[in-house]
């Protein structure tokens, strides 16, 4: 009897739960349909006003007031819809309009919220619309990684010295997405980051150097040569390998000397990177040393050495042919694979 | 003599029902925890993606390279469209690797005709043993398309070959007939960038049957009108939005669907790739990867992300569905048996102490307990040991709980994604959710029991999956199961 009562009560609770969930499911569907219908008409009118303003028309007060009555979410959606296709004065006009509607102020207020998702929303809004020069830089030090990431995205349009410094500091962030976004933003900013990045390469350490080197390799500015030379002697193999890649991208007599020395490095990733760099620079005097690497114990080094020899042209191909007779089967096999590559075969015929 | 036997039978039946009840309580309590976990994960996830600018990643110069691995076996009818859809995915650093697994139809010829293939000879390292590669080809029209022509060796073998020839830091394993939404990779990459300890990530698989497709993409999703497909839609939603999302906070998932998953390539190669001798190679791989990660103190987390979507076709006949579920259960049993060392082993953290035991105690043996409970109740009613109204109440409670869970999953779907937008679609979904527990669920119990029995007898064949083709009847194609598998 007791258990029947218990089950009945349980069933009652379940039924109530079920009723609530079904109600929520259907209710949300109905609300969504109503909201869409409502927004559809608003969207067309608001878009027309936005486009007219962007075309240079002066916004009449009545239209401005009407725009303010449009739900904020719709205003933001409309701005987002337009902003990706705009640049220069048009983008400025959109920012001005967003300012008039109070969206920039809203974004700045959100950026100061105590809740991370609101700060994130604010930073996203300001990235979209512009503005936030006084509020967003503080978010570079936010405790929530996603907010820091958004600040780094925002920095793309605001490359002030302080912001650049914050981005360079973010290259050493504990969170991978922060480092990734900072790298990406710096690469997109291009030459404007050369000087601060060169300084950062000379001064920073640890993870920050590795991520900074990736950016430097992407930019490949001659200003990075000295830091690259210094970092090619770093104690960390990963840093040495990236410095070698950077030297390969920059070239120069001194660089080539260092690269040739690093063919004997203890770390296989450094040897592979050095072989690749020498091949890229087509430094044929290194052919003999590269041929020696065909006997390396690491497969990736053997492959890079073989491909580098191929890139050297005739001198490299001579060494590759000679390696076919090598007593080391791994060296002979790699040489055979390289020589079998279609492009190599045509080169061989040309010789 | 009848008296004592009858008493004994009653005693056994009552005990059996109490065991069933205790088991039900345990399972339902765990489901409640999963439900809370899924809700929390969704609450956390929603602001992360709200107004997110995915196009920024699309313009990235440092995005890690992703290789899409698409094994294909006798897929001449759909391969062209599938590959074009893959090439059109939004991702800045993408490579598409199609592995023709010794097809006997015109699959390779179609690829050659449509993509202008030329032979290439990349130097690669053979780290996993696979069937011989006949040739490698790169498309002149799409330099990021690599086609591997090899001897037939099954899906696992095709994937292993692709793994070794791919150049991406990450590889996305999929079925050649899966439709991936264009922005899915931009979303899938998130956990790999956020956390270093993530070695694999999975997205949601949705059911494409009855949805409007165009150029290899799903344009308008519709809730199916056919009961069998409708039940599967609801089942998939529950499995992903409630099950896998819930596991994100409880020690990570043990399954990533073979139809759509992203892995760190080096980790998969280090773990020796996909296993050939199992029908549940996707789960087996995830278990092995995670186990290897724990043992090497390397990355060992698996993340489920609810917004990247892949669409797949589900069986429309009981016969094919039964074979699929039977195979899934054999795969589950096999993977769990191979990695039995994990059971309650603290060395493997939450996976050993929570995830693995859950899969054994709930996913694996649930059909056995449910069948015992049902049979026991039936016999008890026949013998008059049980009170009819009590038994009815009991079963209403048991199945009602499942109904509440399913309805809650629909709410999660509606509040966060609302993919099924029409009023009728919502009503159909609700109808399938309400009816799923009566008949269909019991059928799945039978199929899973059959799978369990077959595993016990050591049978590991795949069976044949019949497909009607995405959305259009004219593109109907029948496929062999070797590569175009079907997974949830």
């Amino acid at each position: 009897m007791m258990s029947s009562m218990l089950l009945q009560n349980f069933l009652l609770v379940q039924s109530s739960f079920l009723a609530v969930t079904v109600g929520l499911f259907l209710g949300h569907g109905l609300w969504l349909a109503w909201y869409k219908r409502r927004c559809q008409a608003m969207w067309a009118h608001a878009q027309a006003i936005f486009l007219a303003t962007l075309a240079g028309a002066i916004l009449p007060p009545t239209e401005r007031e009407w725009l303010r009555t449009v739900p904020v979410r719709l205003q933001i959606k409309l701005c987002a819809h337009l902003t990706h296709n705009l640049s220069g004065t048009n983008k400025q006009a959109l920012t001005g309009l967003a300012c008039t509607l109070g969206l920039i102020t809203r974004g700045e207020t959100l950026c100061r919220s105590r809740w991370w998702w609101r700060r994130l929303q604010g930073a996203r809004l300001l990235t979209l619309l512009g503005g936030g020069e006084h509020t967003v830089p503080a978010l570079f030090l936010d405790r929530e990684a996603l907010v820091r990431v958004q600040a780094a995205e925002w920095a793309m349009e605001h490359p002030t010295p302080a912001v650049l410094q914050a981005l360079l500091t973010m290259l050493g962030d504990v969170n991978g997405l922060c480092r990734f976004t900072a790298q990406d933003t710096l690469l997109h900013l291009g030459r404007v980051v050369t000087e601060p990045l060169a300084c950062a390469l000379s001064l920073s350490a640890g993870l920050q150097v590795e991520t900074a080197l990736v950016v430097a390799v992407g930019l490949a500015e001659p200003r990075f040569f000295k830091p690259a030379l210094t970092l090619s002697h770093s104690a960390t193999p990963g840093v040495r390998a990236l410095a070698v890649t950077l030297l390969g991208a920059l070239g120069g007599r001194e660089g080539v000397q260092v690269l040739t020395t690093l063919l004997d490095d203890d770390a296989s990733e450094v040897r592979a990177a050095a072989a690749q760099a020498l091949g890229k620079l087509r430094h044929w005097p290194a052919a003999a040393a590269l041929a020696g690497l065909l006997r390396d114990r690491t497969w990736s080094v053997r492959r890079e050495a073989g491909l580098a020899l191929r890139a050297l042209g005739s001198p490299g191909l001579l060494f590759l042919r000679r390696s076919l007779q090598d007593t080391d089967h791994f060296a002979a096999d790699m040489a055979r694979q390289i020589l079998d590559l279609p492009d190599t075969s045509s080169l061989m015929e040309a010789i | 003599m009848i008296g004592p036997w009858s008493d004994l039978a009653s005693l056994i039946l009552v005990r059996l029902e109490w065991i069933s009840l205790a088991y039900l309580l345990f399972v339902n309590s765990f489901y409640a925890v999963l439900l809370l976990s899924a809700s929390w994960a969704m609450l956390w996830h929603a602001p992360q993606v709200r107004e997110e600018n995915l196009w920024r990643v699309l313009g990235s110069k440092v995005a890690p390279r992703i290789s899409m691995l698409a094994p294909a076996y006798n897929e001449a009818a759909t391969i062209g469209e599938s590959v074009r859809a893959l090439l059109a995915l939004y991702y800045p650093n993408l490579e598409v690797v199609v592995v023709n697994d010794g097809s006997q139809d015109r699959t390779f010829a179609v690829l050659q005709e449509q993509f202008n293939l030329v032979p290439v000879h990349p130097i690669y390292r053979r780290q996993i043993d696979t069937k011989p590669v006949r040739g490698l080809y790169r498309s002149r029209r799409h330099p990021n398309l690599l086609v591997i022509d090899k001897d037939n060796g099954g899906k696992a073998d095709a994937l292993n070959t692709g793994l070794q020839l791919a150049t991406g830091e990450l590889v996305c394993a999929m079925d050649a007939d899966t439709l991936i939404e264009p922005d899915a990779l931009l979303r899938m990459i998130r956990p790999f960038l956020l956390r270093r300890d993530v070695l694999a990530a999975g997205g949601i698989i949705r059911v494409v049957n009855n949805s409007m497709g165009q150029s290899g993409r799903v344009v308008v999703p519709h809730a199916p009108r056919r009961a069998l497909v409708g039940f599967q839609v609801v089942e998939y939603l529950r499995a992903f939005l409630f099950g896998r999302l819930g596991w994100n906070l409880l020690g990570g998932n043990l399954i990533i669907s073979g139809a759509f998953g992203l892995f760190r390539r080096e980790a998969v190669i280090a773990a020796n790739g996909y296993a050939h001798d199992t029908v549940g190679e996707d789960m087996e791989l995830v278990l092995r990867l995670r186990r290897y990660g724990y043992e090497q103190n390397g990355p060992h987390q698996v993340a489920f992300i609810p917004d990247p979507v892949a669409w797949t076709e589900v069986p429309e006949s009981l016969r094919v569905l039964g074979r699929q579920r039977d195979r899934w259960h054999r795969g589950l049993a096999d993977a769990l048996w191979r990695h039995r060392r994990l059971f309650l082993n603290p060395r493997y953290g939450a996976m050993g102490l929570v995830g693995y035991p859950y899969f054994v105690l709930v996913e694996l043996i649930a059909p056995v307990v449910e069948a015992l409970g049902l049979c026991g109740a039936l016999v008890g009613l026949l013998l008059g040991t049980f009170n009819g109204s009590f038994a009815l109440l009991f079963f209403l409670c048991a199945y009602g709980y499942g109904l509440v869970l399913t309805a809650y999953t629909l709410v999660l779907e509606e509040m966060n994604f609302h993919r099924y937008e029409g009023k009728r679609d919502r009503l159909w979904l609700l109808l399938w959710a309400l009816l799923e527990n009566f008949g269909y669920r019991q059928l799945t119990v039978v199929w899973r029991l059959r799978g369990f029995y077959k595993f016990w007898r050591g049978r590991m064949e795949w069976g044949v999956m019949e497909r009607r083709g995405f959305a259009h009847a004219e593109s109907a194609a029948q496929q062999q199961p070797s590569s175009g598998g079907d997974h949830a």
Side-chain angles (χ1 to χ4, degrees):
Chain A
M1 195 60 201
M2 269 292 284
S3 48
S4 277
M5 283 288 286
L6 202 72
L7 283 182
Q8 273 173 12
N9 287 333
F10 189 57
L11 201 59
L12 203 68
V13 173
Q14 271 185 2
S15 311
S16 326
F17 241 108
L18 188 64
V20 170
T21 44
V22 169
L24 270 175
F25 176 69
L26 293 177
H28 187 267
L30 286 173
W31 174 80
L32 210 64
W34 170 80
Y35 182 77
K36 272 194 175 168
R37 239 193 344 265
R38 183 182 165 224
C39 288
Q40 221 163 16
M42 280 186 172
W43 177 271
H45 190 193
Q47 193 174 25
I49 297 173
F50 266 66
L51 290 175
T53 314
L54 294 178
I58 294 164
L59 191 64
T62 48
E63 298 281 43
R64 190 186 307 152
E65 285 313 308
W66 181 82
L67 268 184
R68 282 192 175 135
T69 62
V70 171
V72 176
R73 202 185 279 184
L74 193 69
Q75 290 176 10
I76 295 170
K77 209 172 161 188
L78 195 53
C79 287
H81 180 65
L82 294 171
T83 193
H84 296 304
N85 303 314
L86 300 177
S87 61
T89 48
N90 279 333
K91 182 98 187 237
Q92 279 172 4
L94 184 71
T95 309
L97 191 55
C99 203
T100 314
L101 293 174
L103 291 178
I104 306 282
T105 317
R106 183 186 164 84
E108 287 177 337
T109 313
L110 285 170
C111 281
R112 283 189 283 266
S113 167
R114 58 185 292 213
W115 307 109
W116 70 266
W117 56 87
R118 287 181 153 262
R119 294 198 298 277
L120 179 63
Q121 203 186 352
R124 280 186 176 159
L125 194 56
L126 294 174
T127 308
L128 198 71
L129 302 172
E133 287 81 359
H134 302 296
T135 43
V136 182
L139 300 182
F140 277 101
L141 300 173
D142 199 276
R143 61 182 179 278
E144 179 59 40
L146 284 171
V147 180
R148 298 200 295 277
V149 165
Q150 198 54 48
E153 276 193 34
W154 171 87
M156 188 101 79
E157 302 286 332
H158 306 83
T160 61
V163 167
L164 287 181
Q165 202 48 52
L167 279 173
L168 289 167
T169 311
M170 199 183 270
L171 289 174
D173 199 289
V174 286
N175 187 282
L177 192 55
C178 289
R179 294 196 299 276
F180 169 80
T181 315
Q183 278 180 332
D184 215 30
T185 303
L186 288 167
L187 278 168
H188 274 99
L189 287 173
R191 295 186 68 174
V192 68
V193 302
T194 305
E195 200 50 45
L197 183 60
C199 292
L201 283 172
S202 312
L203 299 172
S204 50
L207 197 58
Q208 194 181 359
V209 187
E210 286 194 40
T211 40
L213 273 167
V214 173
V215 180
V217 170
L219 295 173
E221 290 287 334
R223 176 70 181 83
F224 302 138
F225 187 75
K226 278 202 169 163
L229 269 184
T230 316
L231 291 170
S232 65
H233 300 295
S234 161
T236 316
V239 172
R240 286 206 300 284
L242 281 166
V244 161
T245 309
L246 182 53
L247 284 174
L250 297 174
R253 192 185 298 165
E254 209 180 338
V256 164
Q257 277 174 2
V258 174
L259 290 176
T260 313
T261 321
L262 289 171
L263 288 176
D264 295 324
D265 195 276
D266 291 337
S268 59
E269 58 187 299
V270 181
R271 293 197 298 279
Q276 193 184 40
L278 286 166
K280 196 174 167 186
L281 293 169
R282 298 194 176 176
H283 183 64
W284 66 266
L290 286 170
L293 280 190
L294 286 174
R295 293 172 161 216
D296 198 281
R297 61 190 175 280
T298 311
W299 181 85
S300 59
V301 179
R302 292 201 296 277
R303 188 187 65 166
E304 292 305 336
L307 290 171
L309 282 169
R310 175 170 165 255
L312 296 182
S314 314
L317 292 176
L318 286 175
F319 275 100
L320 278 171
R321 271 201 295 211
R322 201 176 288 173
S323 297
L324 290 175
Q325 315 299 328
D326 203 311
T327 50
D328 184 320
H329 293 306
F330 291 112
D333 179 56
M334 186 54 76
R336 165 55 54 208
Q337 287 192 58
I338 301 284
L339 287 170
D340 279 349
L341 290 174
D343 296 350
T344 322
S345 311
S346 57
L347 274 174
M348 293 280 285
E349 281 164 23
I351 297 170
Chain B
M1 278 305 282
I2 293 169
W5 281 112
S6 172
D7 287 349
L8 183 66
S10 301
L11 191 70
I12 291 172
L13 286 172
V14 170
R15 288 279 154 83
L16 200 65
E17 289 310 300
W18 276 111
I19 291 171
S20 296
L21 186 65
Y23 180 78
L24 202 72
L25 270 176
F26 163 73
V27 170
N28 286 342
S29 313
F30 211 102
Y31 281 161
V33 174
L34 268 179
L35 190 77
L36 288 175
S37 170
S39 307
W40 181 254
M42 195 62 99
L43 266 180
W44 199 253
H45 177 80
Q48 287 185 29
V49 294
R50 196 177 300 140
E51 288 151 30
E52 185 185 23
N53 182 10
L54 289 171
W55 306 108
R56 266 270 300 135
V57 183
L58 194 59
S60 166
K61 293 178 178 176
V62 283
R65 190 171 176 78
I66 294 181
S67 300
M68 306 292 299
L69 302 183
Y73 179 77
N74 289 356
E75 313 219 15
T78 52
I79 191 72
E81 196 177 0
S82 301
V83 173
R84 267 192 294 279
L86 286 180
L87 289 165
L89 288 178
Y90 303 150
Y91 192 75
N93 198 358
L94 182 72
E95 175 187 50
V96 176
V97 181
V98 179
V99 188
N100 176 38
D101 191 25
S103 299
Q104 287 152 8
D105 66 352
R106 294 191 70 251
T107 302
F108 185 65
V110 169
L111 286 167
Q112 264 187 324
E113 284 160 16
Q114 296 193 7
F115 298 100
N116 195 4
L117 302 179
V118 287
V120 287
H121 304 261
I123 297 169
Y124 72 100
R125 194 176 183 188
R126 262 185 83 131
Q127 290 165 285
I128 306 168
D129 199 28
T130 57
K131 294 276 182 190
V133 173
R134 297 174 194 159
L136 300 165
Y137 304 84
R138 201 168 280 284
S139 165
R140 274 212 179 103
R141 286 191 200 130
H142 307 277
N144 59 336
L145 170 63
L146 179 74
V147 175
I148 304 169
D149 187 26
K150 65 177 279 290
D151 288 351
N152 181 263
K155 185 182 176 187
D157 193 71
L159 284 170
N160 284 340
T161 310
L163 262 177
Q164 297 183 93
L165 278 149
T167 56
E169 186 184 326
L170 302 169
V171 285
C172 181
M174 56 171 295
D175 294 336
D177 46 17
T178 301
L179 299 181
I180 295 180
E181 290 210 335
D183 60 1
L185 291 178
L186 296 174
R187 299 175 191 278
M188 280 277 267
I189 195 73
R190 206 184 296 127
F192 291 94
L193 297 174
L194 262 171
R195 292 166 56 182
R196 275 190 165 186
D197 61 348
V198 170
L199 55 76
I204 188 168
I205 310 286
R206 288 173 183 268
V207 174
V208 76
N209 305 46
N210 203 46
S211 291
M212 292 281 288
Q214 198 176 23
S215 309
R217 288 180 188 179
V218 175
V219 183
V220 188
H222 283 304
R225 279 24 173 188
R226 294 186 59 179
L228 195 62
V229 182
F231 293 148
Q232 289 177 82
V233 169
V234 169
E235 224 182 355
Y236 272 57
L237 283 176
R238 196 176 51 226
F240 285 93
L241 290 183
F242 153 68
R244 299 203 186 162
L245 188 60
W247 276 110
N248 269 357
L249 297 178
L250 298 175
N253 278 280
L254 297 192
I255 306 180
I256 284 189
S257 169
F260 185 39
L262 197 57
F263 298 85
R264 285 194 194 277
R265 191 171 72 94
E266 286 304 321
V268 181
I269 290 180
N272 216 22
Y274 287 86
H276 292 248
D277 53 348
T278 178
V279 287
E281 75 285 332
D282 37 9
M283 183 182 188
E284 200 283 329
L285 177 71
V286 174
L287 275 170
R288 191 148 36 88
L289 277 176
R290 293 196 66 186
R291 189 175 162 178
Y292 185 77
Y294 273 108
E295 286 166 2
Q296 304 293 318
N297 284 328
H300 53 258
Q301 287 302 332
V302 169
F304 170 75
I305 321 144
D307 48 346
V309 179
W311 296 86
T312 195
E313 201 182 359
V314 296
E316 295 196 5
S317 77
L318 282 174
R319 187 173 51 86
V320 181
L321 181 63
R323 268 202 308 255
Q324 183 196 54
R325 294 308 159 94
D326 154 350
R327 176 163 52 77
W328 283 1
H329 212 70
R330 268 182 291 145
L332 174 75
D334 183 51
L336 292 174
W337 176 250
R338 283 167 189 246
H339 298 279
R340 55 192 176 278
R341 264 190 67 183
L342 297 176
F343 191 74
L344 293 175
N345 191 335
R347 183 181 180 190
Y348 301 100
M351 177 175 70
L353 295 173
V354 188
Y356 187 91
Y358 166 84
F359 272 84
V360 174
L361 297 174
V362 179
E363 297 290 340
L364 185 68
I365 66 164
V368 180
V369 179
E370 196 167 335
L372 279 176
L374 279 171
C375 294
L378 212 62
V379 176
L381 281 173
L382 286 175
L383 290 177
T385 314
F386 294 152
N387 175 322
S389 58
F390 178 80
L392 185 70
L393 258 181
F394 178 77
F395 281 101
L396 276 178
C397 282
Y399 289 123
Y401 194 79
L403 196 57
V404 170
L405 289 180
T406 309
Y408 188 78
T409 310
L410 291 187
V411 172
L412 277 183
E413 155 71 17
E414 173 62 33
M415 297 278 189
N416 293 284
F417 307 106
H418 39 83
R419 286 299 181 110
Y420 299 97
E421 288 196 305
K423 275 182 218 160
R424 284 186 182 176
D425 287 318
R426 287 191 179 92
L427 289 174
W428 278 109
L429 269 189
L430 196 61
L431 179 71
W432 302 137
L434 292 173
L435 295 181
E436 186 214 2
N437 275 300
F438 308 102
Y440 177 75
R441 181 169 160 174
Q442 290 72 25
L443 263 179
T444 61
V445 169
V446 174
W447 292 326
R448 284 151 77 197
L449 276 176
R450 196 173 68 194
F452 209 169
Y453 174 72
K454 281 186 185 172
F455 168 72
W456 202 259
R457 298 288 303 269
R459 290 173 64 180
M460 280 296 170
E461 80 273 18
W462 265 68
V464 179
M465 167 70 185
E466 287 166 9
R467 292 184 195 281
R468 298 179 66 224
F470 293 125
H472 304 292
E474 65 267 28
S475 68
Q478 281 213 339
Q479 292 158 9
Q480 291 293 317
S482 147
S483 300
D486 43 325
H487 305 263

